[in-house]
Amino acid sequence: WTHRLSDLLCSLCENFYKRVSVEKHKGLTPCVTKADVEAFCCMMLPLALQGLYSKSASASLQSCTALKYLGLLDADNSLPPLLDQVYSALTTLTEVHQTTSAMQALAAVWFPMVQSGNFSAGAAHLPALMQLTLDGIDSNDLLKTWTTLRLYTVLVSGLPLIPITDDAPPGRDAERHEVIRQVTDTFADWAFKFLDQAFAFIVNQNYPHAEEEHAKSDIEGRTSEMMFHCTLEVLFMQLGDKLFDRALRKVANFCFTNLLTHQTEHLGILLTCLCRVDPEAAVKMFLPTCLRILLVSPNLSPSPRRYVKTPSSAVPQKER
């Protein structure tokens, strides 16, 4: 696989999708029939699946984009083979290196998979995929963690985590409505398992020594904080009122029952995301306990982990 080949594959799928969309939405006489679309997807799908696991990062991302357009063109024939590979990559222990590529592809096809009327079986896959990808949050593998958080950001940004309790409205397919209702019943369990994984990541995060602060590890740490900020803010925003209150109490319990001397940045991210969604509730939950702790320990003065290293402190002075 080369960059030009992967770019050609991606461009072919993108422009073919644009042509089909223009003919469909502008009411033009279709020059491309449904059989033509199915034949095109049948030709391109094996190439996109092969390029997905390329050693080249750009080729893998181009294949993900191609799979997204194939899913929009012919989801019933394009998505099942991809989902089979995703399930295999998420459950097998012998092809761990494919997990990151599989989650990148999943993030790319998430919208075609859950879009109403595009892929009828898409909603039924949500609970299993959401549970299987939780192990991707791993403090020992930051790349996999970033990929998992990006997947969740894409997923949750278009999926309110609110259980459906009402019956199917008139004119709605009752069977499909029941499937969706059962899917939404799993959202609360997944949301709190995700928070448990996030807490475990924060506790087990490897913090470098002072002389390594401005090295590669520090850059990775800041990227991790940014990704957590994006995902957590969207997660808290999409929770219903009752689930948000439970999440707020869960975060408070984590903050006040653990000794977290080096995790100040991640704790700040947690509280910032909560305050963005409901500042009044967050203040009521955290401020009284924080003030009580400060009054009990008035001499408490934690030193920040990050500091500016000056040349005079980094290089020893020569004796005169």
Side-chain angles (χ1 to χ4, degrees):
W1 279 91
T2 65
H3 176 72
R4 289 188 177 182
L5 284 175
S6 60
D7 188 57
L8 174 63
L9 172 67
C10 180
S11 298
L12 279 173
C13 296
E14 180 181 3
N15 286 283
F16 189 80
Y17 169 74
K18 287 181 178 178
R19 175 173 177 176
V20 173
S21 298
V22 168
E23 292 181 354
K24 179 179 179 180
H25 292 99
K26 290 189 176 182
L28 303 176
T29 302
C31 297
V32 181
T33 64
K34 183 178 180 180
D36 295 332
V37 173
E38 293 178 354
F40 176 83
C41 293
C42 184
M43 288 188 296
M44 296 294 107
L45 182 62
L47 299 175
L49 292 176
Q50 182 180 1
L52 178 62
Y53 302 111
S54 171
K55 294 182 179 179
S56 169
S58 61
S60 180
L61 291 175
Q62 296 278 40
S63 296
C64 290
T65 305
L67 288 167
K68 178 185 71 173
Y69 289 114
L70 294 177
L72 290 169
L73 285 166
D74 187 14
D76 291 331
N77 292 320
S78 299
L79 294 183
L82 171 62
L83 289 175
D84 288 341
Q85 292 199 14
V86 169
Y87 280 118
S88 176
L90 294 176
T91 56
T92 185
L93 298 177
T94 58
E95 299 178 349
V96 180
H97 62 284
Q98 296 184 358
T99 303
T100 302
S101 296
M103 285 195 288
Q104 288 176 342
L106 197 57
V109 303
W110 203 268
F111 176 73
M113 191 176 74
V114 301
Q115 185 180 13
S116 177
N118 189 59
F119 185 45
S120 57
H125 289 280
L126 281 177
L129 291 172
M130 292 169 71
Q131 293 292 334
L132 287 173
T133 51
L134 282 171
D135 290 335
I137 302 177
D138 184 1
S139 59
N140 296 316
D141 190 341
L142 290 181
L143 177 59
K144 186 169 66 174
T145 300
W146 299 340
T147 305
T148 306
L149 294 176
R150 177 178 176 271
L151 168 64
Y152 288 159
T153 303
V154 173
L155 161 66
V156 179
S157 61
L159 188 68
L161 302 177
I162 302 174
I164 296 176
T165 57
D166 300 332
D167 296 330
R172 182 73 61 86
D173 186 350
E175 183 178 353
R176 178 171 175 79
H177 181 84
E178 179 62 21
V179 171
I180 296 175
R181 188 191 65 77
Q182 293 177 2
V183 170
T184 61
D185 287 341
T186 66
F187 287 166
D189 180 60
W190 172 83
F192 293 110
K193 285 185 177 179
F194 168 76
L195 287 178
D196 288 334
Q197 288 291 105
F199 295 161
F201 178 90
I202 293 173
V203 172
N204 297 320
Q205 180 77 323
N206 295 321
Y207 293 96
H209 298 292
E211 61 271 13
E212 300 173 350
E213 277 296 309
H214 300 283
K216 179 181 177 181
S217 55
D218 188 61
I219 299 175
E220 292 178 344
R222 291 184 181 275
T223 306
S224 171
E225 294 165 11
M226 180 190 68
M227 293 300 299
F228 262 109
H229 188 283
C230 294
T231 307
L232 287 169
E233 184 171 344
V234 175
L235 173 72
F236 293 141
M237 191 180 300
Q238 295 290 64
L239 291 176
D241 293 338
K242 293 182 179 179
L243 291 182
F244 179 81
D245 290 339
R246 287 178 56 189
L248 184 62
R249 291 193 297 270
K250 189 177 184 69
V251 173
N253 181 70
F254 170 71
C255 293
F256 294 129
T257 58
N258 292 275
L259 183 62
L260 306 170
T261 57
H262 296 292
Q263 291 85 352
T264 53
E265 287 83 5
H266 285 92
L267 293 181
I269 290 171
L270 279 171
L271 299 184
T272 299
C273 294
L274 288 169
C275 290
R276 289 281 184 90
V277 178
D278 193 341
E280 182 178 355
V283 168
K284 287 182 178 179
M285 178 64 67
F286 286 92
L287 188 59
T289 305
C290 290
L291 290 176
R292 187 165 58 251
I293 293 173
L294 291 174
L295 291 174
V296 171
S297 305
N299 296 324
L300 185 64
S301 57
S303 58
R305 183 172 64 88
R306 302 190 186 277
Y307 66 94
V308 178
K309 184 186 293 184
T310 61
S312 60
S313 63
V315 181
Q317 298 290 334
K318 293 183 179 180
E319 295 182 359
R320 295 184 179 178

